[in-house]
Amino acid sequence: MLIRHPSDIAPSEITPREVYRHRRAFLRSAGLLAAAAGAGGLLTSTAPARGATRLAGLRQSPFSTDEAQTPYKDVTTYNNYYEFGTDKDEPADNAHTLKTRPWTIAIEGEVRKAYSIGVEELLKLAPLEERIYRMRCVEGWSMVIPWVGYSLSELIKRAEPTGNARFVEFVTLADPRQMPGLAYPVLKWPYVEGLRLDEAMHPLTLLCVGLYGELLPNQNGAPVRVVIPWKYGFKSGKSIVKIRFTATQPRTAWNIAQPREYGFYSNVNPQVDHPRWSQARERRIGEFRKRPTLMFNGYAEQVASLYAGMDLKKNF
Ligand code: MTE
């Protein structure tokens, strides 16, 4: 995503880590790491080894995929969260300075019932579900992540959007005392994202408070983020402080930075390449071979109707 140089992340930043990962994945598949450790299974598992607060009584979601889940370690150490650094491993190293309690989200704009909600209440607003979603990053990698949360529509319904509300803007925290990355103008802070109201109301759109059965780690967007599995990962704003309903399409952080590269819709679409990265195929973290990318990241059956009649090359 970085826009320091045209060549940006590809060779200089991702490759060494990817090479390292692939080597590990290869050794793992050959059984060599486990054998070397003398503890078969320890290194191969997706078993959580963490310490964050566990979330009890999670419902299983019919929206979940049964594809192999990306190991917890990869999900929590290979991140994009520029407020804590632009390298993939920096958020895990730096985000301990993020203070997630107390935390309030303001819900405002074109609504009849503007309200603020604290994170503790938010956790109880609707039954928490585990939703195992495919996630596709525009940079070309993908993961399968067992998120925890409930449909964002639960929060939206309470606000009673007016007839003027056509879009939803997500404003995320921007506090230079907690976020060292704000010292660098890589993006216009705060990181803002947006959806059309019907996209935000779609049952797949998740208000996310956890992963792997635990509260969200800071580097993944604690205490609350959104997850929109049929869109590229950058639409999923982290550490949200405001949800604003608007009549006009919000400007979003990546669109402001590079309007030619990042459109408002950002639906996963293997037929529309990003100017610097093909979107036809993807590398699932931990795998060698690239796999074909699916239209709407494999969620076409659920969401294609939202875009009926739209030119998705123009509305990228
Ligand atoms: N939200 C904020 N506030 N700041 C960010 O830099 N990065 C986005 C998105 N949300 C980002 C953000 C990008 S580019 C991606 S791919 C996803 O978060 C990554 O989420 P993950 O690290 O949990 O996989």
Side-chain angles (χ1 to χ4, degrees):
M1 307 289 292
L2 200 60
I3 41 178
R4 285 184 310 219
H5 311 291
S7 58
D8 113 33
I9 287 177
S12 59
E13 294 183 40
I14 288 184
T15 310
R17 201 174 167 95
E18 287 286 282
V19 166
Y20 157 82
R21 273 168 200 288
H22 293 155
R23 190 170 158 272
R24 274 188 78 84
F26 171 74
L27 293 173
R28 204 184 273 159
S29 65
L32 297 177
L33 282 181
L42 255 187
L43 288 155
T44 58
S45 79
T46 55
R50 322 56 86 121
T53 307
R54 275 208 84 71
L55 295 162
L58 300 179
R59 297 187 177 186
Q60 291 306 312
S61 165
F63 297 128
S64 288
T65 171
D66 57 6
E67 288 166 74
Q69 295 167 32
T70 304
Y72 178 87
K73 193 156 194 325
D74 292 322
V75 174
T76 56
T77 58
Y78 193 75
N79 300 106
N80 278 331
Y81 196 168
Y82 279 15
E83 290 87 332
F84 294 101
T86 53
D87 285 346
K88 295 284 181 276
D89 51 359
E90 284 185 303
D93 288 342
N94 297 335
H96 57 91
T97 54
L98 177 65
K99 204 168 152 269
T100 59
R101 296 291 187 286
W103 192 280
T104 308
I105 301 189
I107 294 158
E108 58 182 51
E110 290 289 350
V111 290
R112 275 183 210 97
K113 295 190 177 154
Y115 66 100
S116 286
I117 184 164
V119 65
E120 302 301 345
E121 196 187 339
L122 192 95
L123 286 168
K124 290 182 271 176
L125 192 75
L128 293 177
E129 295 173 16
E130 176 162 84
R131 299 235 189 133
I132 307 165
Y133 280 166
R134 287 180 289 277
M135 301 299 293
R136 171 68 156 79
C137 178
V138 73
E139 293 163 1
W141 46 270
S142 64
M143 298 192 189
V144 174
I145 303 181
W147 300 112
V148 178
Y150 48 79
S151 292
L152 174 67
S153 62
E154 300 286 348
L155 208 71
I156 296 179
K157 280 187 287 192
R158 276 187 55 170
E160 299 183 14
T162 69
N164 292 334
R166 291 187 52 230
F167 296 91
V168 187
E169 181 183 62
F170 302 95
V171 182
T172 71
L173 183 73
D175 180 355
R177 286 165 306 178
Q178 301 180 52
M179 301 172 135
L182 295 185
Y184 306 95
V186 278
L187 289 171
K188 185 170 179 287
W189 311 114
Y191 192 102
V192 171
E193 259 305 335
L195 294 173
R196 232 170 44 192
L197 182 59
D198 58 346
E199 297 177 319
M201 287 295 290
H202 193 282
L204 276 177
T205 300
L206 186 71
L207 186 83
C208 174
V209 296
L211 58 79
Y212 265 107
E214 299 180 349
L215 286 178
L216 275 176
N218 288 358
Q219 61 269 32
N220 292 89
V224 55
R225 67 180 290 178
V226 284
V227 174
I228 308 115
W230 71 94
K231 293 179 181 279
Y232 294 114
F234 65 88
K235 295 298 284 181
S236 304
K238 295 177 167 180
S239 309
I240 293 171
V241 290
K242 193 183 288 181
I243 299 181
R244 213 161 66 85
F245 293 78
T246 61
T248 51
Q249 188 171 297
R251 294 295 314 272
T252 60
W254 280 104
N255 182 258
I256 292 168
Q258 283 283 30
R260 267 185 355 94
E261 300 195 354
Y262 303 101
F264 178 77
Y265 283 94
S266 307
N267 291 317
V268 174
N269 187 341
Q271 287 146 29
V272 178
D273 284 338
H274 180 280
R276 288 177 287 136
W277 301 297
S278 164
Q279 299 303 328
R281 295 158 71 72
E282 68 200 53
R283 191 185 307 285
R284 186 69 50 90
I285 294 294
E287 291 181 357
F288 291 111
R289 265 203 199 97
K290 287 193 178 177
R291 50 169 75 208
T293 287
L294 302 176
M295 189 65 200
F296 298 114
N297 204 23
Y299 297 95
E301 207 179 301
Q302 292 97 327
V303 301
S305 62
L306 294 174
Y307 310 102
M310 276 177 71
D311 180 342
L312 297 180
K313 284 209 164 75
K314 265 198 207 132
N315 297 288
F316 61 91

